[in-house]
Amino acid sequence: PILLFKRKGLFKNPYPILSKLFKDILKSCLFISSLQTVFASVLVLCNEIFGVDHPVSVLATGFLCGLSILWEKKSRRSELMLYCAPRVCEIVSEYSQTRQYIIGSPYWLIVCFSIASGILMYFYRAQPKSLKTTI
């Protein structure tokens, strides 16, 4: 994107643009690496403590992984949340069906899609600046 949108500035004065780019890349790398590290280590630790995969360990792991978003810029956090919300809905529905908390239905994916679309529409109406124009 820098070559497309900031080409002139890149050739005239590359240092500020490239330093911001590397800073943003470093923040994103810290986010994803801390997310994966926290997820793996906390899940293994909880499995050692409880001896089995317990739903509480999954919830604790998910909560602690959520703290890794603090590495990202505030303007990017809502974008990441909008990316993750439909995935969380899908994971919860798959988990609920495998544990038989809910009865499988051929229309369940449509319900999940509707919830995810509702989340996007809410942010479109309530916080339009949180959505990028490329979404």
Side-chain angles (χ1 to χ4, degrees), residues 2 6 14-25 73:
I2 286 181
K6 297 183 179 182
Y15 180 74
I17 294 174
L18 290 177
S19 65
K20 183 181 181 319
L21 172 70
F22 290 128
K23 182 180 169 186
D24 290 344
I25 289 173
K73 294 187 303 188

Side-chain angles (χ1 to χ4, degrees), residues 78-122:
S78 61
E79 179 185 347
L80 287 169
M81 189 278 309
L82 288 174
Y83 171 76
C84 292
R87 305 301 177 268
V88 169
C89 182
E90 181 182 6
I91 290 168
V92 167
S93 71
E94 292 290 327
Y95 179 78
S96 299
Q97 286 180 358
T98 56
R99 296 288 179 148
Q100 296 179 350
Y101 294 137
I102 59 171
I103 298 171
S105 170
Y107 303 110
W108 184 246
L109 288 177
I110 296 172
V111 171
C112 289
F113 178 78
S114 299
I115 292 170
S117 296
I119 292 170
L120 284 173
M121 290 300 111
Y122 168 78

Side-chain angles (χ1 to χ4, degrees), residues 18-110:
L18 290 177
S19 65
K20 183 181 181 319
L21 172 70
F22 290 128
K23 182 180 169 186
D24 290 344
I25 289 173
L26 179 65
K27 283 183 177 184
S28 291
C29 288
L30 284 171
F31 161 68
I32 196 69
S33 63
S34 65
L35 179 88
Q36 295 297 321
T37 303
V38 167
F39 179 79
S41 59
V42 172
L43 199 58
V44 167
L45 179 67
C46 288
N47 285 342
E48 289 293 320
I49 292 171
F50 294 123
V52 293
D53 282 335
H54 198 272
V56 174
S57 65
V58 175
L59 290 173
T61 303
F63 175 74
L64 292 173
C65 284
L67 296 176
S68 64
I69 199 147
L70 296 175
W71 287 109
E72 285 288 345
K73 294 187 303 188
K74 286 186 179 184
S75 62
R76 188 146 154 69
R77 291 177 191 168
S78 61
E79 179 185 347
L80 287 169
M81 189 278 309
L82 288 174
Y83 171 76
C84 292
R87 305 301 177 268
V88 169
C89 182
E90 181 182 6
I91 290 168
V92 167
S93 71
E94 292 290 327
Y95 179 78
S96 299
Q97 286 180 358
T98 56
R99 296 288 179 148
Q100 296 179 350
Y101 294 137
I102 59 171
I103 298 171
S105 170
Y107 303 110
W108 184 246
L109 288 177
I110 296 172

Side-chain angles (χ1 to χ4, degrees), residues 75-76 78-79 82 127-135:
S75 62
R76 188 146 154 69
S78 61
E79 179 185 347
L82 288 174
Q127 299 176 6
K129 290 185 180 180
S130 66
L131 297 174
K132 282 191 164 184
T133 56
T134 56
I135 292 180

